[in-house]
Amino acid sequence: MIYKEFQGETLSALGMGAMRLPVIGGDDTRIDEAATAAMVDCAMAHGVNYYDTAYVYHKGESESFLGNALRNRPRDRYFLATKFPGFLFTPGQNPKDIFEEQLRRCRTGYFDFYLMHNVNEKSIGTYTDEQLRLLDYFAGEQRNGRIRYLGFSSHGKPETLAKFADHHEWDFAQIQLNYLD
């Protein structure tokens, strides 16, 4: 495995994403646990130490599956990433409720990498809304040690990406990159 340094951490150059796991009968909510557990075992055996999921993957089942698959592994042997679904967030909701649910689903006390999910032209207003104060909440969780590195993912236009990048002091960004463009 090739490893890369990130802020003093050694991460595998390849990570395992849990967005498109094997399913049973074409039902996105029915993850094939045996097949996927074998994938996690294989990834671990070959040095993969970065595991990525999100609140909405597999219609909410991905975080729980990954939490179960990793639960018997030493927590200091892998990096766990998940994402906050700001594009689903509505006024009156509390980001703490979703964050606490994610911790429970993933069977962990903290996330190594926590991302504002899919920042784009439609969702940037939610993430930057001064009344919702989402970024303040997650910066607080980072100060409390429940988020090690705070970042965002984006499928938006370059100008949206630049605007959001300037909105907060981020630790990292995960972007969609098409080598043909």
Side-chain angles (χ1 to χ4, degrees), residues 9-139:
E9 308 287 357
T10 303
L11 282 79
S12 53
L14 294 176
M16 181 177 167
M19 181 178 172
R20 293 182 182 95
L21 299 172
V23 297
I24 298 168
D27 182 350
D28 205 35
T29 64
R30 296 182 59 213
I31 296 169
D32 184 332
E33 293 187 25
T36 307
M39 291 169 60
V40 171
D41 289 343
C42 182
M44 281 275 181
H46 288 89
V48 172
N49 66 6
Y50 184 90
Y51 296 84
D52 175 271
T53 186
Y55 187 80
V56 297
Y57 291 175
H58 285 275
K59 299 181 182 171
E61 298 299 319
S62 177
E63 288 177 328
S64 295
F65 172 78
L66 199 54
N68 286 332
L70 296 170
R71 76 178 179 276
N72 295 321
R73 314 257 182 196
R75 186 60 179 88
D76 63 349
R77 300 286 305 212
Y78 62 89
F79 298 94
L80 181 58
T82 196
K83 303 169 194 77
F84 180 78
F87 49 87
L88 298 177
F89 195 75
T90 58
Q93 281 186 294
N94 188 338
K96 179 179 181 179
D97 296 338
I98 293 172
F99 186 70
E100 295 296 334
E101 180 182 2
Q102 290 178 293
L103 289 167
R104 282 190 304 278
R105 285 178 174 184
C106 290
R107 296 175 173 246
T108 190
Y110 67 93
F111 293 109
D112 298 289
F113 296 89
Y114 196 80
L115 299 86
M116 302 301 103
H117 194 181
N118 192 17
V119 177
N120 60 40
E121 293 70 35
K122 292 180 182 178
S123 65
I124 190 171
T126 299
Y127 286 116
T128 58
D129 187 305
E130 292 298 323
Q131 291 181 341
L132 294 177
R133 303 184 59 158
L134 293 176
L135 301 183
D136 290 342
Y137 172 75
F138 292 113

